[in-house]
Amino acid sequence: MTNELKGKVNYSVNGNIAILEVDNPPVNPLSSGVRAGLAEFIEKANSDDSIKGIILTGAGRSFIAGADISEFGKSFDGPDLNSTLRDIEFSKKPVIAAINGTALGGGLETALVCNYRMGTNKAIVGLPEVNLGLLPGAGGTQRLPRLVGPSQALKMMLSGAPLSAEKALTSGILDAISENSLIEDAIEFLQDKIELSEHPKVRDKNEKVLEARGSENVLAEAKALAAKTRRGQFAPGQIIACVEAAINEDDFDAGLKKESEYFLECLMNPQREAMIHIFFGERAASKISDIPKDTPLMSINSAGIVGSGTMGGGIAMNLANAGIPVLVLDQDEKNLERGMGVIEKNYQMMVDRGRMSEEQKEKVFGLITPTLSYEDLANVDIVVEAVYENLELKQEIFKTLDSVTNNNTILASNTSGLDIDALASVTERPGKVVGTHFFSPANVMRLLEVVRGKDSSDETMATVMSLGKRMGKAAVVSLNAPGFIGNRMLAGYTYQANMLLLEGALPSQVDNALESFGMSMGPFRMLDLVGLDLGWRARKLANIETPLANKISDELCERDRFGQKNSRGFYNYSEGSRAPNPAPENEEIYKEISEKNNIKRREISDQEIIDRCILALVNEGARILEEGVAQRSGDMDIVYINGYGFPIWRGGPMFYANQLGLKEVIKKMDVFSELDKEFWKPAPLLQKLSDQSASFGEAPPVGERSELLSFKQANMGGV
Ligand code: 3H9
């Protein structure tokens, strides 16, 4: 093998069997050296008369994690994947894939060109390309429907969700599961087959695709599923077209050819670049630039939660799902009972929807124990306080936790905006104090902002980030600054939405424009969901005059329109339904308030709505980056996609701005500055990068950026 190629394949012989082991740590993607190695050693095994069968396996914990994602969009070295797979498929000697771990994307496609497939009981198989804006382009769209039937294949490819070994066996992807030594079992399996004159090839199994020919149901169901779960995405339609070819083409290779064409179209589509940016962005976000990679982690084997409300319950579920026993504390027995009831109901719902077995439910729910006593938390490894947002109350709880828990326990606060340093200051262990901002519902939403106080230790930060990964979260570090990352950006977005309403747009126009851009929910539907009265009540309590942008929502509250909670807000809701219906009776209010504030209502285009709301995110994002509150621009993309419903296929607000071009961003902001000079002043970093024709990814490192916004300076406005 030449040295420039990435990854390799190890070749060894056991009796009359050649073993090809893909070796490209940590997860064995099909990089150039792997493709070259596979081609070379298949040839070697085939030309050696003493070899009667071939095993293909992976080194370490993964079989093959797919094509090398970092090669997409670039020129690559070595043979292409499809020609390598052809060499395996047409091997003269039988080949068995011995699947020792994850076989994803091109990894499963490699297994599908083998004659046989055996997995350990830890094997996981799937075609997750859709999550990268791609389709399985190495024969997966043609072979999987032949093995499991078009309907199941479409479900797997459109969801991207993997199957366990057990499910892979029952659906026909695996021929066998090894209970002992995988390689020994694979050798034994092959020895039984060696004498056969022919070995099965998936390409020849036409029964299941022929069964679906002539029926529109399978494709119609897939289209409905894609419309529901992958709104705005390009790849799903291409996947369905490939399966249509698998069903209707008589010639397998004609189907493969179509797959290649459709794959290329996905590859060229900007959505692919955006989604791969998110794949690598999520992994980059999990790293803290100034904390060494080998920082020792504390082991987290037990946890406590203070507060059994919605947030506390959701967080407890996250911990239990990760296998961590958790004590849920509440001082009120009734609350605690109710909280445990809600947790059980949530798990039951998962069982009812087929997402969890009754047994699994018993196991995870069994890990959650209610308690009324702080003393019970004495020896847990981490406590997450999840009571309502009140600094004094949280400080009291931190003082108590500091005295009852052992010195090593990490104390985390689930807060969406309070000062973590103010909590750390009441303890004797500021290094062990950290913010964990979960998003509601915490058992569903993937985003976790991990807030780094000025004294949070490297060990604490690294441990909590790793815990985030264990819980399946997209964890992002934020410095301890007002609004952290997400809510601070949201303030400008909501402000613009409210101003658009005063200037002449209707809530439905703003919502529809942003939903057609790809946001999962428009701002006014969101405000109705959260409750308009929260801000209104807070302002009343603090005796604060309503800011201009909030005049309409406060007036709606004055008229007893609080949002979904009382079935009327910006929209009307019928009893028991969350579907928004127009509220024409509000239109007079909008007009009145615009007039009172000397704002002339005008026709506003959908493009202006999108630009003003999204560029407000971008400009604040630039400030956040400049202050070092976020480590990198990609972190803000991860925040917005996982916590605020930003469309993944646009790559997040900062990536979207890069694709638009920062000069174009400034140009658009310049036009809007006629409406509001102060708001649309470009953040210095945005201006600087635009002047240099650079992008956010090229921002200078954190240390060279400006001062952090303090909690005292903050004026979040917004909601
Ligand atoms: C495909 O196959 C297309 C074909 O159909 C057609 C081709 C013609 N390539 O996630 P982790 C890196 S598309 C390159 O933290 P885990 C990752 O960036 C592919 N690099 O580990 C990270 O690097 P770093 C379809 C990859 O244990 C490191 O490996 N396949 C790839 O939590 C560890 O990753 C997929 O979409 C890759 N394919 O999870 C599967 N995969 O350390 C993508 C990972 O520098 N991969 N890396 O940050 C995964 O889902 C997870 O990585 C996996 C392991 C579940 C395998």
Side-chain angles (χ1 to χ4, degrees), residues 27 61 65 67-69 106 109 128-129 132 136-137 280 283 287 469:
V27 294
R61 61 190 162 99
D68 186 335
I69 299 169
E109 290 171 299
E129 285 86 343
L132 304 171
F280 286 119
R283 279 143 187 91
K287 299 172 180 111
K469 183 166 183 182

Side-chain angles (χ1 to χ4, degrees), residues 380-553:
V380 298
D381 298 318
I382 184 169
V383 179
V384 184
E385 160 279 308
V387 302
Y388 64 90
E389 296 283 30
N390 176 310
L391 186 63
E392 285 77 36
L393 173 66
K394 285 184 189 251
Q395 282 179 323
E396 274 315 306
I397 292 172
F398 266 64
K399 273 188 212 158
T400 310
L401 289 172
D402 196 36
S403 67
V404 297
T405 59
N406 78 50
N407 294 340
N408 274 329
T409 305
I410 293 178
L411 303 183
S413 174
N414 177 59
T415 171
S416 61
L418 295 178
D419 182 354
I420 295 303
D421 294 335
L423 294 175
S425 70
V426 301
T427 72
E428 300 290 319
R429 62 178 93 184
K432 297 266 176 200
V433 174
V434 66
T436 44
H437 181 201
F438 287 83
F439 286 68
S440 183
N443 51 314
V444 177
M445 298 291 283
R446 283 197 72 228
L447 180 61
L448 172 63
E449 283 182 329
V450 178
V451 186
R452 186 177 190 178
K454 70 177 166 46
D455 296 315
S456 307
S457 73
D458 286 4
E459 185 195 52
T460 302
M461 289 305 294
T463 302
V464 174
M465 290 302 281
S466 139
L467 178 63
K469 183 166 183 182
R470 223 170 128 192
M471 294 188 294
K473 298 288 174 195
V476 174
V477 177
S478 167
L479 282 195
N480 181 39
F484 309 138
I485 297 174
N487 283 346
R488 178 165 161 195
M489 286 165 82
L490 184 70
Y493 171 90
T494 320
Y495 173 82
Q496 284 304 319
N498 281 321
M499 289 308 293
L500 284 158
L501 205 58
L502 279 167
E503 290 168 34
L506 290 178
S508 56
Q509 190 199 353
V510 176
D511 286 346
N512 291 346
L514 286 161
E515 285 169 16
S516 69
F517 172 82
M519 298 300 291
S520 60
M521 194 184 271
F524 294 108
R525 283 182 59 201
M526 177 61 82
L527 287 170
D528 266 0
L529 178 71
V530 173
L532 308 185
D533 55 325
L534 298 183
W536 174 67
R537 282 185 215 283
R539 278 185 280 278
K540 280 199 159 206
L541 210 66
N543 223 352
I544 296 174
E545 200 191 322
T546 305
L548 179 61
N550 301 98
K551 292 232 186 255
I552 289 182
S553 61

